[in-house]
Amino acid sequence: MKKFALMMFAAASIAVVSCGPSAEEKAKMEAAAQAAADSIMKAAEAAMATEVAPAADSTAAAATTTEAAPAAEAKK
């Protein structure tokens, strides 16, 4: 009977311990997830800022080229 009680106590202890992460572990996981999300957001913002600048420059270059072309034709 003592062995049975000891086995039940051991099984109950293992079940309680293995239920899931503690509050500290959950807080660490949430902090890591938030840091990853912030990093991804910063990278996305940087990529968007990089993509917008060349598009504006190419538009300005196209406008300059179209304005210069009639002037060159007028000189002929």
Side-chain angles (χ1 to χ4, degrees):
M1 186 71 176
K2 288 183 182 181
K3 284 185 179 182
F4 179 75
L6 185 60
M7 294 281 277
M8 291 301 292
F9 177 76
S13 298
I14 291 172
V16 169
V17 170
S18 65
C19 284
S22 67
E24 291 177 3
E25 291 173 336
K26 286 181 182 179
K28 287 180 184 177
M29 288 189 290
E30 288 176 6
Q34 185 64 40
D38 290 344
S39 176
I40 291 169
M41 183 61 88
K42 286 179 185 176
E45 288 173 354
M48 290 175 62
T50 305
E51 290 177 12
V52 171
D57 291 341
S58 64
T59 305
T64 305
T65 306
T66 56
E67 291 172 3
E73 291 176 14
K75 290 182 181 179
K76 287 183 180 181

Coordinates of all heavy atoms in Angstrom, one line a residue:
M1 N 0.8 -1.2 0.0 CA 0.0 0.0 0.0 C 0.9 1.3 0.0 O 0.5 2.2 -0.6 CB -0.9 -0.1 1.2 CG -1.9 1.1 1.3 SD -3.1 0.8 0.0 CE -4.2 2.1 0.3
K2 N 2.0 1.2 0.7 CA 2.9 2.4 0.7 C 3.5 2.7 -0.6 O 3.6 3.8 -1.0 CB 4.0 2.1 1.8 CG 3.6 2.2 3.2 CD 4.8 2.0 4.1 CE 4.3 2.0 5.5 NZ 5.5 1.9 6.5
K3 N 3.8 1.6 -1.4 CA 4.3 1.8 -2.7 C 3.3 2.5 -3.6 O 3.6 3.3 -4.4 CB 4.8 0.5 -3.3 CG 6.1 0.0 -2.8 CD 6.5 -1.3 -3.6 CE 7.8 -1.8 -3.0 NZ 8.3 -2.9 -3.8
F4 N 2.0 2.0 -3.5 CA 1.0 2.6 -4.3 C 0.8 4.1 -4.0 O 0.6 4.9 -4.9 CB -0.3 1.8 -4.0 CG -1.5 2.4 -4.8 CD1 -1.6 2.2 -6.2 CD2 -2.5 3.1 -4.2 CE1 -2.7 2.7 -6.9 CE2 -3.5 3.7 -4.9 CZ -3.6 3.4 -6.2
A5 N 0.8 4.4 -2.7 CA 0.6 5.8 -2.3 C 1.8 6.6 -2.8 O 1.6 7.8 -3.2 CB 0.5 5.9 -0.8
L6 N 3.0 6.1 -2.7 CA 4.2 6.8 -3.2 C 4.1 7.0 -4.7 O 4.5 8.1 -5.2 CB 5.4 6.0 -2.8 CG 6.8 6.7 -3.1 CD1 6.9 8.0 -2.4 CD2 7.9 5.8 -2.7
M7 N 3.7 6.0 -5.4 CA 3.5 6.1 -6.9 C 2.5 7.2 -7.2 O 2.7 7.9 -8.1 CB 3.2 4.8 -7.5 CG 4.3 3.7 -7.3 SD 5.6 3.9 -8.5 CE 4.9 3.1 -9.8
M8 N 1.4 7.2 -6.5 CA 0.3 8.2 -6.8 C 0.8 9.6 -6.5 O 0.5 10.5 -7.2 CB -0.9 7.9 -6.0 CG -1.6 6.6 -6.4 SD -2.1 6.7 -8.1 CE -3.4 7.9 -8.0
F9 N 1.6 9.7 -5.4 CA 2.1 11.0 -5.0 C 3.1 11.5 -6.1 O 3.1 12.7 -6.5 CB 2.8 11.0 -3.7 CG 3.5 12.3 -3.3 CD1 2.7 13.3 -2.8 CD2 4.8 12.4 -3.4 CE1 3.3 14.5 -2.5 CE2 5.4 13.6 -3.1 CZ 4.6 14.7 -2.6
A10 N 3.9 10.6 -6.6 CA 4.9 11.0 -7.7 C 4.2 11.3 -8.9 O 4.5 12.3 -9.6 CB 5.9 9.8 -7.9
A11 N 3.1 10.6 -9.3 CA 2.4 10.9 -10.5 C 1.7 12.2 -10.4 O 1.7 13.0 -11.4 CB 1.4 9.8 -10.8
A12 N 1.1 12.5 -9.3 CA 0.4 13.8 -9.1 C 1.4 14.9 -9.1 O 1.1 16.0 -9.6 CB -0.3 13.8 -7.7
S13 N 2.6 14.7 -8.5 CA 3.6 15.8 -8.5 C 4.1 16.1 -10.0 O 4.2 17.3 -10.3 CB 4.8 15.4 -7.7 OG 4.4 15.2 -6.4
I14 N 4.3 15.1 -10.7 CA 4.7 15.2 -12.1 C 3.6 16.0 -12.9 O 3.9 16.8 -13.7 CB 5.1 13.9 -12.8 CG1 6.3 13.4 -12.1 CG2 5.2 14.0 -14.3 CD1 6.7 11.9 -12.5
A15 N 2.4 15.6 -12.7 CA 1.3 16.2 -13.4 C 1.2 17.7 -13.1 O 0.9 18.5 -14.0 CB 0.0 15.5 -13.1
V16 N 1.4 18.1 -11.8 CA 1.3 19.5 -11.4 C 2.4 20.3 -12.0 O 2.2 21.4 -12.5 CB 1.2 19.6 -9.9 CG1 1.4 21.0 -9.5 CG2 -0.1 19.0 -9.4
V17 N 3.6 19.7 -12.0 CA 4.8 20.4 -12.5 C 4.7 20.6 -14.0 O 5.1 21.6 -14.6 CB 6.1 19.7 -12.1 CG1 7.3 20.2 -12.8 CG2 6.2 19.7 -10.6
S18 N 4.2 19.6 -14.7 CA 4.2 19.7 -16.2 C 3.0 20.3 -16.8 O 2.7 20.2 -18.0 CB 4.3 18.2 -16.8 OG 3.2 17.5 -16.4
C19 N 2.2 21.1 -16.0 CA 1.0 21.7 -16.6 C 1.3 22.8 -17.5 O 0.5 23.1 -18.4 CB 0.1 22.2 -15.4 SG -0.8 20.9 -14.6
G20 N 2.4 23.5 -17.4 CA 2.7 24.6 -18.3 C 3.7 25.5 -17.8 O 4.2 25.3 -16.7
P21 N 4.0 26.5 -18.5 CA 5.1 27.5 -18.1 C 4.6 28.3 -16.9 O 3.4 28.6 -16.7 CB 5.3 28.4 -19.3 CG 4.1 28.3 -20.1 CD 3.5 26.9 -19.8
S22 N 5.5 28.7 -16.1 CA 5.2 29.6 -15.0 C 4.9 31.0 -15.4 O 5.1 31.3 -16.6 CB 6.4 29.6 -14.0 OG 7.5 30.2 -14.5
A23 N 4.5 31.8 -14.5 CA 4.2 33.2 -14.9 C 5.5 34.0 -15.4 O 5.4 34.8 -16.3 CB 3.6 34.0 -13.7
E24 N 6.6 33.7 -14.7 CA 7.9 34.3 -15.2 C 8.2 33.8 -16.6 O 8.6 34.7 -17.4 CB 9.0 33.9 -14.2 CG 8.9 34.5 -12.9 CD 10.0 34.0 -11.9 OE1 10.9 33.2 -12.4 OE2 10.0 34.4 -10.8
E25 N 8.0 32.6 -16.9 CA 8.3 32.1 -18.2 C 7.4 32.7 -19.3 O 7.8 33.0 -20.4 CB 8.3 30.5 -18.3 CG 9.4 29.8 -17.5 CD 9.2 28.3 -17.4 OE1 8.0 27.9 -17.5 OE2 10.2 27.6 -17.1
K26 N 6.1 32.8 -18.9 CA 5.2 33.4 -19.8 C 5.5 34.9 -20.1 O 5.5 35.4 -21.2 CB 3.8 33.4 -19.2 CG 3.1 32.0 -19.3 CD 1.7 32.0 -18.7 CE 1.1 30.7 -18.7 NZ -0.3 30.7 -18.1
A27 N 6.0 35.6 -19.0 CA 6.4 37.0 -19.2 C 7.6 37.1 -20.1 O 7.7 38.0 -21.0 CB 6.7 37.6 -17.9
K28 N 8.6 36.2 -20.0 CA 9.7 36.2 -20.8 C 9.4 35.9 -22.3 O 9.9 36.5 -23.2 CB 10.7 35.1 -20.3 CG 11.5 35.5 -19.1 CD 12.4 34.5 -18.6 CE 13.1 34.8 -17.3 NZ 14.0 33.7 -16.9
M29 N 8.4 35.0 -22.5 CA 8.0 34.6 -23.8 C 7.3 35.8 -24.5 O 7.5 36.1 -25.6 CB 7.1 33.4 -23.8 CG 7.9 32.1 -23.6 SD 6.9 30.6 -23.8 CE 5.7 30.7 -22.4
E30 N 6.4 36.5 -23.7 CA 5.7 37.7 -24.2 C 6.7 38.8 -24.6 O 6.5 39.5 -25.6 CB 4.7 38.1 -23.2 CG 3.5 37.2 -23.1 CD 2.5 37.6 -22.1 OE1 2.7 38.7 -21.5 OE2 1.6 36.9 -21.8
A31 N 7.7 39.0 -23.7 CA 8.7 40.0 -24.0 C 9.5 39.7 -25.2 O 9.8 40.6 -26.1 CB 9.6 40.2 -22.8
A32 N 9.8 38.5 -25.4 CA 10.6 38.1 -26.6 C 9.7 38.2 -27.9 O 10.2 38.7 -28.9 CB 11.0 36.6 -26.5
A33 N 8.5 37.9 -27.8 CA 7.5 38.0 -28.9 C 7.4 39.5 -29.2 O 7.3 39.9 -30.4 CB 6.2 37.4 -28.6
Q34 N 7.2 40.4 -28.2 CA 7.1 41.8 -28.5 C 8.3 42.4 -29.1 O 8.2 43.2 -30.0 CB 6.8 42.5 -27.1 CG 6.5 44.0 -27.3 CD 5.2 44.2 -28.2 OE1 4.2 43.5 -28.0 NE2 5.2 45.2 -29.0
A35 N 9.5 42.0 -28.6 CA 10.8 42.4 -29.2 C 10.9 42.0 -30.7 O 11.3 42.8 -31.5 CB 11.9 41.9 -28.4
A36 N 10.5 40.8 -31.0 CA 10.5 40.3 -32.4 C 9.5 41.1 -33.2 O 9.9 41.5 -34.4 CB 10.2 38.8 -32.4
A37 N 8.3 41.4 -32.7 CA 7.4 42.2 -33.5 C 7.8 43.6 -33.7 O 7.7 44.1 -34.8 CB 6.0 42.2 -32.7
D38 N 8.5 44.2 -32.7 CA 9.0 45.5 -32.9 C 10.1 45.5 -33.9 O 10.2 46.4 -34.7 CB 9.6 46.1 -31.5 CG 8.5 46.4 -30.5 OD1 7.3 46.5 -31.0 OD2 8.8 46.5 -29.3
S39 N 11.0 44.5 -33.9 CA 12.1 44.4 -34.9 C 11.5 44.3 -36.3 O 12.0 44.9 -37.2 CB 13.0 43.2 -34.5 OG 13.9 43.0 -35.5
I40 N 10.5 43.5 -36.5 CA 9.9 43.3 -37.8 C 9.2 44.6 -38.2 O 9.4 45.0 -39.4 CB 8.9 42.1 -37.7 CG1 9.6 40.8 -37.5 CG2 8.0 42.1 -39.0 CD1 8.7 39.6 -37.2
M41 N 8.6 45.3 -37.3 CA 8.0 46.6 -37.7 C 9.0 47.6 -38.1 O 8.8 48.3 -39.1 CB 7.1 47.1 -36.5 CG 6.4 48.4 -36.8 SD 5.2 48.1 -38.2 CE 3.8 47.6 -37.2
K42 N 10.1 47.7 -37.4 CA 11.2 48.6 -37.8 C 11.7 48.3 -39.2 O 12.0 49.1 -40.0 CB 12.3 48.6 -36.7 CG 11.9 49.3 -35.5 CD 13.0 49.3 -34.4 CE 12.6 49.9 -33.1 NZ 13.6 49.8 -32.1
A43 N 12.0 47.0 -39.4 CA 12.5 46.5 -40.7 C 11.5 46.9 -41.8 O 11.9 47.3 -42.9 CB 12.8 45.1 -40.7
A44 N 10.2 46.7 -41.6 CA 9.2 47.0 -42.6 C 9.2 48.5 -42.9 O 9.0 48.9 -44.0 CB 7.9 46.4 -42.1
E45 N 9.2 49.3 -41.8 CA 9.2 50.7 -42.0 C 10.4 51.2 -42.8 O 10.3 52.0 -43.7 CB 9.1 51.4 -40.7 CG 7.8 51.3 -40.0 CD 7.8 51.9 -38.6 OE1 8.8 52.3 -38.1 OE2 6.7 51.9 -38.0
A46 N 11.6 50.6 -42.5 CA 12.8 51.0 -43.2 C 12.7 50.6 -44.7 O 13.1 51.3 -45.5 CB 14.0 50.3 -42.5
A47 N 12.1 49.4 -44.9 CA 12.0 49.0 -46.3 C 11.0 49.9 -47.1 O 11.3 50.2 -48.2 CB 11.5 47.5 -46.3
M48 N 10.0 50.3 -46.4 CA 9.0 51.2 -47.1 C 9.6 52.5 -47.4 O 9.4 53.1 -48.4 CB 7.7 51.3 -46.2 CG 6.9 50.0 -46.2 SD 5.5 50.1 -45.1 CE 4.6 51.4 -45.8
A49 N 10.4 53.0 -46.4 CA 11.1 54.3 -46.6 C 12.1 54.3 -47.8 O 12.2 55.2 -48.5 CB 11.7 54.8 -45.3
T50 N 12.7 53.1 -47.9 CA 13.7 53.0 -49.0 C 13.0 52.8 -50.3 O 13.5 53.3 -51.3 CB 14.6 51.7 -48.7 OG1 15.1 51.8 -47.4 CG2 15.7 51.5 -49.7
E51 N 11.9 52.2 -50.4 CA 11.2 52.0 -51.6 C 10.5 53.3 -52.1 O 10.5 53.5 -53.3 CB 10.1 50.9 -51.5 CG 10.7 49.5 -51.3 CD 9.6 48.5 -51.1 OE1 8.4 48.8 -51.3 OE2 10.0 47.4 -50.7
V52 N 10.1 54.2 -51.2 CA 9.4 55.4 -51.6 C 10.4 56.4 -52.2 O 10.1 57.0 -53.2 CB 8.7 56.0 -50.4 CG1 8.2 57.4 -50.8 CG2 7.6 55.1 -50.0
A53 N 11.6 56.5 -51.7 CA 12.6 57.5 -52.2 C 13.0 57.3 -53.6 O 12.9 58.2 -54.4 CB 13.8 57.5 -51.3
P54 N 13.3 56.1 -54.1 CA 13.7 56.0 -55.5 C 12.5 56.2 -56.4 O 12.7 56.8 -57.5 CB 14.1 54.5 -55.6 CG 14.6 54.1 -54.3 CD 13.7 54.9 -53.3
A55 N 11.3 55.9 -56.0 CA 10.2 56.2 -56.9 C 10.0 57.7 -57.1 O 9.7 58.1 -58.2 CB 8.9 55.5 -56.3
A56 N 10.2 58.4 -56.1 CA 10.1 59.9 -56.2 C 11.2 60.5 -57.1 O 11.0 61.3 -57.9 CB 10.1 60.5 -54.8
D57 N 12.4 59.9 -56.9 CA 13.5 60.4 -57.7 C 13.3 60.1 -59.2 O 13.6 60.9 -60.1 CB 14.8 59.8 -57.3 CG 15.2 60.3 -55.9 OD1 14.7 61.4 -55.5 OD2 16.1 59.6 -55.3
S58 N 12.8 58.9 -59.5 CA 12.6 58.5 -60.9 C 11.5 59.4 -61.6 O 11.5 59.7 -62.7 CB 12.2 57.0 -61.1 OG 11.0 56.8 -60.4
T59 N 10.5 59.8 -60.8 CA 9.4 60.7 -61.3 C 10.0 62.0 -61.6 O 9.7 62.7 -62.6 CB 8.3 60.8 -60.3 OG1 7.8 59.5 -60.0 CG2 7.2 61.6 -60.8
A60 N 10.9 62.5 -60.7 CA 11.5 63.8 -60.9 C 12.4 63.8 -62.1 O 12.4 64.7 -62.9 CB 12.3 64.2 -59.6
A61 N 13.1 62.7 -62.3 CA 14.0 62.6 -63.5 C 13.2 62.5 -64.7 O 13.5 63.1 -65.7 CB 14.9 61.3 -63.3
A62 N 12.0 61.9 -64.7 CA 11.2 61.8 -65.9 C 10.6 63.2 -66.2 O 10.5 63.6 -67.4 CB 10.1 60.8 -65.7
A63 N 10.2 63.9 -65.2 CA 9.7 65.3 -65.5 C 10.8 66.2 -66.0 O 10.5 67.0 -66.9 CB 9.2 65.9 -64.2
T64 N 12.0 66.1 -65.6 CA 13.1 66.9 -66.1 C 13.4 66.5 -67.5 O 13.6 67.4 -68.3 CB 14.3 66.7 -65.2 OG1 14.0 66.9 -63.8 CG2 15.5 67.6 -65.6
T65 N 13.3 65.3 -67.8 CA 13.6 64.8 -69.2 C 12.5 65.3 -70.2 O 12.8 65.8 -71.3 CB 13.7 63.3 -69.3 OG1 14.6 62.8 -68.3 CG2 14.1 62.8 -70.6
T66 N 11.3 65.3 -69.8 CA 10.2 65.7 -70.7 C 10.2 67.2 -70.8 O 9.8 67.7 -71.9 CB 8.8 65.3 -70.1 OG1 8.6 65.7 -68.8 CG2 8.7 63.8 -70.2
E67 N 10.7 67.9 -69.8 CA 10.8 69.4 -69.9 C 12.0 69.8 -70.8 O 11.9 70.8 -71.5 CB 10.9 70.0 -68.6 CG 9.6 69.9 -67.7 CD 9.8 70.4 -66.3 OE1 10.9 70.9 -66.0 OE2 8.9 70.3 -65.5
A68 N 13.0 69.0 -70.7 CA 14.2 69.4 -71.5 C 14.1 69.0 -73.0 O 14.6 69.6 -73.8 CB 15.4 68.6 -70.9
A69 N 13.3 68.0 -73.3 CA 13.1 67.6 -74.7 C 12.5 68.6 -75.5 O 13.0 68.9 -76.6 CB 12.3 66.3 -74.7
P70 N 11.4 69.3 -75.2 CA 10.9 70.4 -76.0 C 11.8 71.5 -76.2 O 11.9 72.1 -77.3 CB 9.6 70.8 -75.3 CG 9.2 69.7 -74.5 CD 10.5 69.0 -74.1
A71 N 12.6 71.8 -75.2 CA 13.5 72.9 -75.3 C 14.6 72.6 -76.3 O 15.1 73.4 -77.1 CB 14.1 73.2 -73.9
A72 N 15.1 71.3 -76.3 CA 16.1 70.9 -77.3 C 15.5 70.9 -78.7 O 16.2 71.2 -79.6 CB 16.6 69.5 -76.9
E73 N 14.2 70.5 -78.9 CA 13.6 70.6 -80.2 C 13.4 72.0 -80.7 O 13.5 72.3 -81.9 CB 12.3 69.8 -80.1 CG 12.4 68.3 -79.9 CD 11.1 67.6 -79.8 OE1 10.1 68.3 -80.2 OE2 11.1 66.5 -79.4
A74 N 13.2 72.9 -79.8 CA 13.0 74.3 -80.2 C 14.3 74.9 -80.7 O 14.2 75.8 -81.5 CB 12.4 75.1 -79.0
K75 N 15.4 74.5 -80.2 CA 16.7 75.0 -80.6 C 17.0 74.6 -82.0 O 17.8 75.2 -82.7 CB 17.8 74.6 -79.7 CG 17.7 75.3 -78.3 CD 18.8 74.9 -77.4 CE 18.7 75.6 -76.1 NZ 19.8 75.2 -75.2
K76 N 16.5 73.5 -82.5 CA 16.8 73.0 -83.8 C 16.3 73.8 -85.0 O 15.7 74.6 -85.2 CB 16.3 71.5 -84.0 CG 17.1 70.6 -83.2 CD 16.5 69.2 -83.5 CE 17.2 68.1 -82.7 NZ 16.8 66.8 -82.9

